[in-house]
Amino acid sequence: MTTVSTAIVIGGGIAGPVTGLALRRAGIAATVYEAYPSTADGVGGTLALAPNGVAALGTVDAADAVTGIATPVHRTAMAVGRKRIDLPALADVPPLQVVHRAALHRALHDRAVAGGVVIEHGRRLVDARETSDGITAYFADGTTATADILVGADGIRSTVRTLIDPDAPGPRHTGLLGFEAVARHVVDIEPGTMTFAFGRGGYYLYWPEPGGGTRWGVNLPQERPTTLTEARAVPTTEWLRRLRAAYGDDDPGRQLMETSDADELQVVGSLLIMPPVPHWHRGRMVLVGDAAHAPSNSSGQGASLAIESAVQLARCLRDLPDVGSAFTAYERLRRDRVERVAARAARINRAKAPGPVARAVMPLLMPLLVRTAMNPERTLAPEQRYVIDWHTPVTPA
């Protein structure tokens, strides 16, 4: 068993609270430090938790807290114009769970606090310095904290990543800007069905909202990255005008956007991914979640992979005798898996905005695409059936 007994966790989004819970289950006291003054209530769009992510949450007794606020998605479909085809699914796994990001943050925050994890807000990390027997975090407000290890769960623009490796890559732009809203228009599909549609102006998806109407999300192609602040500086009336112009020929895209109100349009921002990060750890510092691996949202696995990594890190620290061997085993258990998911998502991204010729032939090719490239046993099974065996000890490489 490792000599680690205390941990600093930087970041209070998704990976941070789960890391705190997992470390406590491994016998390590963890304090989570979040830069923002409060939880992100009302900020962000929705995301999907895959069955493997929900299974990992079960390891830290947080699954019920999340599924209780989520919408289950039992089936998915693909559409190009009026051509629609149901996508095959894995019969032996639970449904996807669609949840608002802010609600997920709040649920995980509350579950972590209830589980004994201390979460401090308004503490933005600026530096970290190691000693022979610990590491000290320095915050922008002049305060410090010391522990045996420091975990960077601080997202795609991670400060900890640059402390581990000043030359580490940063996030890359996918060429897509995301939006979300709930339309008054009701699409005639079964509840619990999510449809992925390829429109003339780009890619969008929609599903029945339990409270009424149809929730939709859309990716608008853009030439250059736009920060969330820049995107939100544009009036939502202007964004909705552009979306209606781009999707005015689509069915049901036109109806969805025409029956959505500008003041309810959520600007999600530029969609980013992380290229492979060469160094996940150095000394007493280590990365989890989007700080180490952030596949495109096309994967449907970003949040789930972050949760898995938090649990695996705690498992390795529980079982291995020193920090170095624990961090090495953790990266060995995680890197291949997350990079395979990222590669699959990158292939999907290239198909999200097909040109006019590709779009014209896609209705004819859809059945073949579903049987081959989208075969669930080949693509989804290794991802969604994955379960971390918490009770089996980790062995060194």
Side-chain angles (χ1 to χ4, degrees):
M1 180 177 179
T2 182
T3 56
V4 173
S5 61
T6 58
I8 295 165
V9 180
I10 304 298
I14 295 173
V18 178
T19 300
L21 284 167
L23 288 173
R24 278 191 62 84
R25 184 167 184 190
I28 299 169
T31 300
V32 177
Y33 296 90
E34 167 56 45
Y36 290 99
S38 63
T39 55
D41 294 336
V43 177
T46 55
L47 56 82
L49 280 177
N52 49 289
V54 176
L57 283 176
T59 304
V60 293
D61 296 325
D64 289 345
V66 172
T67 56
I69 59 171
T71 300
V73 172
H74 301 277
R75 62 189 65 82
T76 57
M78 180 188 294
V80 179
R82 293 185 177 275
K83 176 69 174 180
R84 177 186 176 89
I85 188 168
D86 289 334
L87 299 178
L90 298 170
D92 60 342
V93 298
L96 294 175
Q97 300 289 333
V98 178
V99 61
H100 198 283
R101 183 180 295 274
L104 177 61
H105 285 185
R106 169 60 67 180
L108 293 177
H109 173 280
D110 292 351
R111 177 65 191 88
V113 171
V117 177
V118 176
I119 299 181
E120 297 192 12
H121 290 273
R123 306 288 291 277
R124 184 176 296 277
L125 181 75
V126 294
D127 198 6
R129 300 173 192 170
E130 293 190 35
T131 65
S132 59
D133 59 354
I135 187 166
T136 298
Y138 294 79
F139 300 98
D141 62 1
T143 60
T144 63
T146 299
D148 295 323
I149 60 170
L150 185 149
V151 182
D154 49 345
I156 199 165
R157 293 185 175 88
S158 171
T159 297
V160 179
R161 185 173 63 236
T162 60
L163 293 176
I164 290 174
D165 178 9
D167 297 322
R172 292 179 182 170
H173 180 233
T174 62
L176 300 168
L177 183 64
F179 303 86
E180 186 174 309
V182 177
R184 294 185 298 278
H185 176 71
V186 177
V187 179
D188 186 20
I189 54 177
E190 291 184 49
T193 300
M194 180 178 288
T195 301
F196 302 88
F198 293 86
R200 186 180 301 277
Y203 162 88
Y204 63 104
L205 71 164
Y206 55 89
W207 63 95
E209 182 76 350
T214 304
R215 183 172 290 275
W216 55 270
V218 63
N219 295 329
L220 193 65
Q222 58 175 172
E223 294 181 359
R224 68 173 186 85
T226 301
T227 67
L228 187 56
T229 300
E230 291 172 335
R232 290 182 175 172
V234 177
T236 53
T237 52
E238 171 60 17
W239 281 126
L240 194 54
R241 184 195 67 78
R242 297 184 195 181
L243 290 170
R244 287 169 176 169
Y247 292 89
D249 295 332
D250 292 319
D251 180 12
R254 178 180 66 257
Q255 297 93 328
L256 293 175
M257 293 171 202
E258 285 180 350
T259 62
S260 296
D261 296 327
D263 58 358
E264 295 183 1
L265 181 69
Q266 179 75 47
V267 183
V268 178
S270 292
L271 306 184
L272 305 174
I273 58 174
M274 274 303 301
V277 175
H279 305 289
W280 285 21
H281 58 90
R282 178 175 65 81
R284 293 179 177 270
M285 294 186 287
V286 65
L287 303 174
V288 297
D290 284 358
H293 48 77
S296 163
N297 67 339
S298 303
S299 70
Q301 283 284 352
S304 295
L305 292 178
I307 293 164
E308 285 181 2
S309 288
V311 173
Q312 283 286 33
L313 174 64
R315 182 169 166 252
C316 292
L317 285 165
R318 177 197 66 188
D319 294 339
L320 296 175
D322 58 80
V323 171
S325 62
F327 289 173
T328 298
Y330 157 69
E331 182 174 352
R332 170 176 55 84
L333 289 172
R334 299 300 299 155
R335 183 181 282 277
D336 286 349
R337 173 168 169 77
V338 302
E339 291 185 355
R340 283 197 302 271
V341 173
R344 179 179 67 83
R347 291 192 295 271
I348 295 173
N349 280 343
R350 289 192 288 270
K352 274 190 172 181
V357 175
R359 189 173 183 275
V361 301
M362 190 173 286
L364 302 175
L365 296 178
M366 280 171 59
L368 176 62
L369 179 66
V370 168
R371 289 195 304 270
T372 57
M374 304 191 75
N375 183 304
E377 288 294 336
R378 183 181 303 166
T379 58
L380 298 181
E383 297 177 11
Q384 296 190 4
R385 289 183 182 144
Y386 182 86
V387 176
I388 296 170
D389 186 357
W390 176 263
H391 299 288
T392 298
V394 179
T395 58

